[in-house]
Amino acid sequence: MNAQRAEEIASSPIMANVTYNEESIYIEHVDQQNGIATIHSLDEPNKKQSVSITSLNEQ
């Protein structure tokens, strides 16, 4: 995924189907300058992590 699309998904009120390591996730924040997204699993909303935007996949 590219940074612009990740930012669009993060700011949209409509939930997009995005995965990280084949797990459905929610994008909380996108740092386009550093190529990092703060995400959490849909199953574990309190377990946040920062990952490379390029490792995210939109289904």
Side-chain angles (χ1 to χ4, degrees), residues 2-59:
N2 67 45
Q4 180 61 38
R5 182 60 183 142
E7 185 69 50
E8 290 170 2
I9 291 170
S11 63
S12 174
I14 299 168
M15 182 79 171
N17 188 4
V18 179
T19 60
Y20 172 70
N21 289 341
E22 299 183 16
E23 183 176 1
S24 293
I25 58 97
Y26 178 80
I27 302 172
E28 291 190 17
H29 176 75
V30 177
D31 179 347
Q32 288 191 38
Q33 189 172 22
N34 294 311
I36 301 293
T38 302
I39 65 166
H40 69 257
S41 163
L42 296 183
D43 295 334
E44 297 181 73
N46 294 324
K47 186 178 175 186
K48 298 175 184 166
Q49 56 185 323
S50 295
V51 299
S52 171
I53 293 169
T54 58
S55 65
L56 302 177
N57 295 299
E58 184 174 11
Q59 302 299 307

